[in-house]
Amino acid sequence: MDDDRRSLPPSLSEAHREGFDYDDGAGIDFEPYAEILDARETADWWRAWTGNAALDGAEFRVFGQDGTGGMAAFWLTRPGQPLDRQPVVFLGSEGEKGVVARDLGSYLWLLAAGVGPFEATMYAPDEHSPRPDARRAEMAERWAPSCRASAAEIVTSARAEFPGFDSLVESMCR
């Protein structure tokens, strides 16, 4: 994988720069990477996650993980579109999976709402009490003003646009 394919978009780098406070489960359980996981590491992870040695995970660009090793990634499902226009997904260490944002701009607003990829996948909006992040909201406003929405709207919209994601992933597992 060449360096360009491993570079994070500038807005994602900024959103992840200061890290996340897990706060004993009351914060965001997310450990961002400084760059996108390389192709070999992605293939190793995807093969282990699916149990399918024939796969290489080329449809994902992994950019972070939760505390148990669940991965957050761009899912390259929109042919010809740049990375920032691809949906963001989460694939948990225990088989959890879900589309969490339609694109990078929506993901930035999800973070601003105090919700990370794990939380967006695991909790219904009324089961989690996120803490909005004013610094990330200011950043999201600069990078993606037209994507502003609540965390529930972001996740609902993403899942409505990609209703077959869970089934697709399950079909790849052995």
Side-chain angles (χ1 to χ4, degrees), residues 51-80:
N52 189 339
L55 302 176
D56 64 5
E59 62 270 45
F60 298 107
R61 296 293 180 271
V62 179
F63 59 82
Q65 68 179 51
D66 73 349
T68 64
M71 302 292 202
F74 290 104
W75 174 35
L76 307 182
T77 191
R78 292 182 173 131

Side-chain angles (χ1 to χ4, degrees), residues 56-103:
D56 64 5
E59 62 270 45
F60 298 107
R61 296 293 180 271
V62 179
F63 59 82
Q65 68 179 51
D66 73 349
T68 64
M71 302 292 202
F74 290 104
W75 174 35
L76 307 182
T77 191
R78 292 182 173 131
Q81 293 294 312
L83 196 60
D84 64 347
R85 297 287 307 136
Q86 303 294 339
V88 174
V89 299
F90 180 78
L91 296 136
S93 63
E94 301 299 319
E96 311 91 349
K97 59 195 157 306
V99 181
V100 301
R102 297 178 67 238
D103 56 25

Side-chain angles (χ1 to χ4, degrees), residues 4-157:
D4 185 52
R5 291 182 60 190
R6 296 204 52 210
S7 297
L8 296 174
S11 60
L12 185 60
S13 291
E14 183 179 344
H16 289 172
R17 187 171 296 129
E18 291 183 24
F20 296 89
D21 183 7
Y22 179 61
D23 192 22
D24 293 322
I28 294 178
D29 183 3
F30 190 62
E31 301 168 14
Y33 297 158
E35 60 187 7
I36 292 171
L37 206 61
D38 72 37
R40 182 189 51 76
E41 291 172 307
T42 299
D44 289 347
W45 157 73
W46 190 232
R47 289 173 181 148
W49 201 93
T50 62
N52 189 339
L55 302 176
D56 64 5
E59 62 270 45
F60 298 107
R61 296 293 180 271
V62 179
F63 59 82
Q65 68 179 51
D66 73 349
T68 64
M71 302 292 202
F74 290 104
W75 174 35
L76 307 182
T77 191
R78 292 182 173 131
Q81 293 294 312
L83 196 60
D84 64 347
R85 297 287 307 136
Q86 303 294 339
V88 174
V89 299
F90 180 78
L91 296 136
S93 63
E94 301 299 319
E96 311 91 349
K97 59 195 157 306
V99 181
V100 301
R102 297 178 67 238
D103 56 25
L104 178 54
S106 296
Y107 175 73
L108 297 176
W109 282 105
L110 190 68
L111 295 178
V115 177
F118 170 80
E119 292 80 18
T121 303
M122 296 303 298
Y123 303 113
D126 60 344
E127 293 177 351
H128 181 63
S129 299
R131 295 180 312 212
D133 184 320
R135 184 189 62 79
R136 286 190 172 99
E138 180 276 325
M139 188 232 29
E141 185 65 41
R142 274 189 292 110
W143 288 102
S146 65
C147 295
R148 181 182 211 128
S150 71
E153 291 168 329
I154 291 166
V155 173
T156 299
S157 173

